[in-house]
Amino acid sequence: MDQISFPEGFLWGAATAAFQVEGSTTADGRTDSIWDAFCRLPGAIVGGHTGEPAADHYRRVEQDVKLMVDLGLQAYRFSIAWPRVRPDGGEVNQAGLDFYGRLVDTLLANGIKPWVTLYHWDLPQALEDKGGWAERDTAYRFADYATTVVESLGDRVTSWTTLNEPWCSSFLGYAAGVHAPGRREPKAALAAVHHLLLGHGLATSAIRAVQPTAEVGITLNLYPVFAADPSNPSDVDAARRLDAMQNRIFLDPVLRGSYPADVVEDFEEYDFLGNVREGDLEIISAPLDMLGVNYYTEYNVSSVADGEGPPPRNGRRQSGSPWVGLGDLSFPGRDLPRTDMDWEVQPVGLTKVLRRLHDEYPRLPLYITENGAAYRDEFDGDGGVHDAERLGFIDGHLRAAHAAISEGVDLRGYFCWSLLDNFEWAEGYAKRFGIVHVDYETQVRTPKASAHWYAKVTRDNALAATGGQ
Ligand code: PNW
């Protein structure tokens, strides 16, 4: 049977993030990150869950790399915990660096490429105490931390991602307050946007100063955004503004060296430009080697009258809106299946995101750095986890990625989210994204059907002609 083949050299991997899998949150000199502190706030996390024990990856690195080998992974995308490496944002902690040195060595000994993210949301709490990302100084502390990591691992690691999803860090963390640090301060959220981007730019230069041959990128969570009713001007404007704050506020400064004019106007009342100093945009638009795309779903948006927003979350900490300046929004459901996160499954949105980057922005090699789905997985009588929905989700999105490649998009690799079931932020351990099941009592790992299937895809560098399942 014919196959759908990916280009030669296409990189197949899986991803995790430090706080979501490591556990051992007080080991070897690690101190609190904003997520450790946030987890202690009543009602912040479903079930009162914390970063312990997560998937106990800190103590099970050898076993987990063996698992990656069994799954035929060519690359492992993981993040480094800033509070292990420079616990209070200042002094270097060698024991923390040594952990990542061992992980990298074990990966390389097994022929797996380490794909390192420097910031996947775990800011040292000591820096949040000084204002966090709302403060400009945090960007400079981030560049110092990047230098420390590259000086330590740069002889073995060549692929660096500065930030993962700065949208979540800024708008979920500082405006909605549903992610750490749990602040509901729209003005601080917009300051955080700029300071995260400044940190990205400063870190990019810092990495290159230590390792001139480094491949450097940033990972953004991008979404196609539609007006639910294209004939309703307020829906059309809501879609424009949502696209602006979700996609373009990050893409434009990084890839074109300027903030979009409508973003500047929309956020004037929050003094967005007051954060921007001369020369910042040159720093932020430092040339990159790749762009990471995280894709989960599309947004079909409608504006609703103020006060008709979502109902309070039972038993949960009060939340604000991440949609700064947009008032209440609704996302009218379409006739699409949904994951356990209640996110609509729409693979064609991935093709659209990739095509947009190709058509509208200076071209860079693209990587899908996250894509995957939470489902309620259950063991079958035979001891296996037959996660047909997740398998179908990944299969459908790989077909959508392949369609973009066929249209000429320079997509170089795919990382599924996630290698392991893990701590799903505000949702705690209740949502399972792994292709490998984790029993949080025993820490036993069980590859799900999707993992066995994915191993074959990576081996063949191809999908079967008709859908997986
Ligand atoms: C991303 N939202 O998070 C992260 O990079 C991962 O750490 C995470 O586990 C994964 O996607 C699945 O959620 C997001 O509410 C979390 O829009 C929340 C949102 C988007 C991305």
Side-chain angles (χ1 to χ4, degrees):
M1 201 183 4
D2 279 355
Q3 289 187 321
I4 296 181
S5 294
F6 285 77
E8 208 184 309
F10 193 81
L11 190 67
W12 295 98
T16 64
F19 192 75
Q20 296 182 270
V21 296
E22 287 179 356
S24 300
T25 53
T26 56
D28 302 329
R30 184 189 181 280
T31 56
D32 275 358
S33 73
I34 53 176
W35 274 93
D36 299 87
F38 186 63
C39 287
R40 293 183 199 117
L41 299 179
I45 313 290
V46 170
H49 297 163
T50 70
E52 296 285 1
D56 197 26
H57 179 65
Y58 192 78
R59 299 192 301 170
R60 289 168 196 266
V61 158
E62 299 274 335
Q63 176 191 348
D64 287 342
V65 173
K66 166 93 177 42
L67 196 57
M68 297 176 213
V69 172
D70 292 345
L71 298 181
L73 299 187
Q74 299 164 359
Y76 175 48
R77 174 180 182 253
F78 62 95
S79 79
I80 292 186
W82 187 347
R84 289 196 194 281
V85 170
R86 300 186 72 140
D88 59 5
E91 289 286 288
V92 175
N93 175 38
Q94 189 58 42
L97 279 171
D98 288 346
F99 166 71
Y100 296 104
R102 283 197 304 279
L103 169 57
V104 165
D105 288 342
T106 311
L107 290 168
L108 292 175
N110 285 282
I112 298 171
K113 184 180 169 88
W115 188 283
V116 174
T117 300
L118 290 168
Y119 187 70
H120 201 125
W121 308 355
D122 42 4
L123 183 72
Q125 177 61 33
L127 291 180
E128 177 57 33
D129 293 340
K130 295 179 183 162
W133 287 109
E135 283 298 319
R136 187 176 173 92
D137 185 61
T138 302
Y140 293 89
R141 300 286 74 75
F142 179 60
D144 291 346
Y145 152 70
T147 298
T148 301
V149 173
V150 181
E151 280 175 347
S152 171
L153 301 178
D155 56 337
R156 290 156 286 169
V157 172
T158 56
S159 171
W160 305 96
T161 299
T162 55
L163 307 176
N164 176 72
E165 301 190 353
W167 181 85
C168 293
S169 300
S170 47
F171 291 109
L172 295 181
Y174 289 84
V178 295
H179 277 191
R183 288 165 61 178
R184 296 192 292 271
E185 302 164 36
K187 195 162 182 256
L190 287 165
V193 167
H194 184 67
H195 297 144
L196 281 154
L197 287 169
L198 182 63
H200 154 77
L202 293 167
T204 299
S205 310
I207 294 166
R208 295 203 198 284
V210 180
Q211 189 191 44
T213 56
E215 298 166 63
V216 186
I218 185 171
T219 276
L220 302 175
N221 51 323
L222 302 174
Y223 304 74
V225 181
F226 309 101
D229 176 0
S231 66
N232 176 345
S234 59
D235 283 11
V236 171
D237 197 53
R240 176 193 62 75
R241 290 187 66 154
L242 189 58
D243 176 50
M245 67 181 299
Q246 191 76 59
N247 301 314
R248 294 186 281 114
I249 198 173
F250 299 105
L251 286 169
D252 282 38
V254 169
L255 298 177
R256 293 181 179 157
S258 59
Y259 285 111
D262 61 333
V263 163
V264 171
E265 201 177 311
D266 290 345
F267 292 137
E268 209 182 310
E269 61 180 294
Y270 305 97
D271 193 25
F272 180 54
L273 280 194
N275 301 296
V276 182
R277 297 198 190 158
E278 189 155 350
D280 283 2
L281 283 151
E282 285 78 65
I283 295 170
I284 292 170
S285 58
L288 295 179
D289 304 289
M290 61 207 178
L291 178 68
V293 176
N294 292 356
Y295 176 76
Y296 289 97
T297 191
E298 293 182 338
Y299 283 138
N300 180 52
V301 65
S302 175
S303 69
V304 293
D306 274 354
E308 288 175 28
R313 309 182 306 162
N314 277 348
R316 302 282 294 277
R317 202 170 160 270
Q318 198 200 332
S319 65
S321 168
W323 319 118
V324 173
L326 270 90
D328 288 335
L329 296 179
S330 73
F331 297 89
R334 296 176 290 173
D335 190 18
L336 292 170
R338 288 176 184 253
T339 69
D340 197 25
M341 296 292 281
D342 210 28
W343 295 345
E344 288 181 342
V345 179
Q346 183 64 314
V348 72
L350 176 57
T351 316
K352 288 181 193 159
V353 163
L354 296 171
R355 194 188 287 143
R356 179 187 198 183
L357 293 171
H358 183 79
D359 290 344
E360 296 180 23
Y361 287 91
R363 290 183 190 164
L364 277 180
L366 304 177
Y367 289 84
I368 295 165
T369 39
E370 285 181 28
N371 173 242
Y375 287 107
R376 284 163 201 263
D377 301 319
E378 282 176 21
F379 279 91
D380 244 315
D382 62 3
V385 181
H386 298 278
D387 59 339
E389 288 174 304
R390 179 175 299 96
L391 192 161
F393 182 101
I394 299 174
D395 179 81
H397 286 78
L398 283 174
R399 278 163 213 278
H402 190 273
I405 295 171
S406 303
E407 293 172 16
V409 173
D410 187 9
L411 179 68
R412 305 269 180 104
Y414 178 93
F415 293 80
C416 73
W417 183 270
S418 175
L419 174 68
L420 301 167
D421 286 338
N422 62 51
F423 176 80
E424 179 49 33
W425 308 113
E427 306 298 326
Y429 296 101
K431 307 289 183 209
R432 292 178 176 272
F433 275 89
I435 56 171
V436 175
H437 182 275
V438 175
D439 179 323
Y440 294 112
E441 299 294 319
T442 62
Q443 291 296 338
V444 168
R445 276 89 164 114
T446 309
K448 306 177 191 177
S450 56
H452 296 298
W453 168 85
Y454 190 61
K456 178 166 161 49
V457 174
T458 66
R459 205 166 49 237
D460 296 349
N461 196 33
L463 295 164
T466 49
Q469 300 286 335

